[in-house]
Amino acid sequence: MLYPKPIAKLIDSFSKLPGIGTKTATRLAFYTLGMTDEDVNDFAKNLLAAKRELTYCSICGRLTDEDPCDICSDPNRDQTTVLIVEDSQDVSAMEKIQEYRGLYHVLQGLISPMNGIGPDDINLKSLIERLQKHTEISEVIIATNATADGEATSMYISRVLKPAGIKVTRLARGLAVGSDIEYADEVTLLSAIENRTEL
């Protein structure tokens, strides 16, 4: 069925979001048309504000509205431990369990040879520079997802950091292979961080 051009464009915009197929995009488009002008304006303003006002923390690489982010600038955090995650959503998941009190480093992706993504394509160089600058960091916990790319990234980081004498650990297998950290429950994440293993 053909829709008027404005609706078709709106459907196309929604369908560009991950996990949104044509049916869901169509439903969202028509739902949006039923919203008040004020709600639509607020929605549009929030989208633009998130895009314009967020930046990456210059220390850890996490999405933030202030640089450095609130975690990196908190003197009460354990300055000797850095937890390495794939993206900012993983930081939020780890913070929900309220057990880990160290620092983070966000890779903003994973090494993926199949997709042509190498170590230089993720936020890895700044991690090495950070570890060289902050000698008080004695442990790096790798918390990449239990996927082929997550494992490849984990092993690469371990090989790079081991010669520096930094203890490199990996989250325990409380996380199922193929699962994403951001979707794990708090108990599973707590178990994984408490039972981490050295690489």
Side-chain angles (χ1 to χ4, degrees), residues 131-145:
L131 295 174
Q132 289 170 340
K133 184 177 176 183
H134 297 281
T135 55
E136 69 275 13
I137 298 171
S138 58
E139 181 182 7
V140 167
I141 305 165
I142 301 175
T144 53
N145 292 318

Side-chain angles (χ1 to χ4, degrees), residues 65-82:
D65 57 350
E66 52 189 52
D67 188 22
C69 72
D70 58 334
I71 294 174
C72 288
S73 57
D74 184 352
N76 297 317
R77 302 291 297 212
D78 176 4
Q79 305 291 310
T80 66
T81 309
V82 174

Side-chain angles (χ1 to χ4, degrees), residues 3-176:
Y3 294 109
K5 196 177 286 184
I7 298 174
K9 285 182 176 179
L10 189 56
I11 292 169
D12 183 56
S13 293
F14 277 121
S15 67
K16 290 177 182 171
L17 297 171
I20 303 291
T22 306
K23 280 186 177 181
T24 303
T26 302
R27 193 172 76 247
L28 291 171
F30 277 95
Y31 179 83
T32 305
L33 292 173
M35 293 168 62
T36 66
D37 285 355
E38 183 181 350
D39 286 344
V40 171
N41 281 332
D42 286 345
F43 185 67
K45 282 180 197 172
N46 291 336
L47 277 174
L48 287 170
K51 188 72 177 160
R52 291 177 181 160
E53 295 172 17
L54 291 175
T55 186
Y56 290 105
C57 174
S58 58
I59 298 172
C60 72
R62 175 179 165 235
L63 264 177
T64 181
D65 57 350
E66 52 189 52
D67 188 22
C69 72
D70 58 334
I71 294 174
C72 288
S73 57
D74 184 352
N76 297 317
R77 302 291 297 212
D78 176 4
Q79 305 291 310
T80 66
T81 309
V82 174
L83 184 79
I84 299 175
V85 295
E86 179 182 349
D87 57 39
S88 294
Q89 293 156 293
D90 294 339
V91 173
S92 297
M94 294 303 296
E95 285 296 288
K96 279 183 192 170
I97 63 172
Q98 298 180 352
E99 285 294 322
Y100 177 71
R101 296 298 302 152
L103 303 172
Y104 292 92
H105 190 84
V106 181
L107 296 173
Q108 299 165 9
L110 295 171
I111 295 170
S112 179
M114 295 287 288
N115 295 314
I117 301 170
D120 293 337
D121 299 315
I122 60 175
N123 188 27
L124 200 50
K125 185 180 175 195
S126 66
L127 171 66
I128 295 163
E129 290 169 356
R130 183 179 181 188
L131 295 174
Q132 289 170 340
K133 184 177 176 183
H134 297 281
T135 55
E136 69 275 13
I137 298 171
S138 58
E139 181 182 7
V140 167
I141 305 165
I142 301 175
T144 53
N145 292 318
T147 60
D149 292 343
E151 292 300 319
T153 304
S154 171
M155 294 311 296
Y156 181 85
I157 293 170
S158 177
R159 280 199 311 269
V160 168
L161 299 184
K162 277 283 188 177
I166 296 171
K167 182 179 180 183
V168 180
T169 57
R170 180 97 165 97
L171 286 189
R173 288 291 175 233
L175 294 170

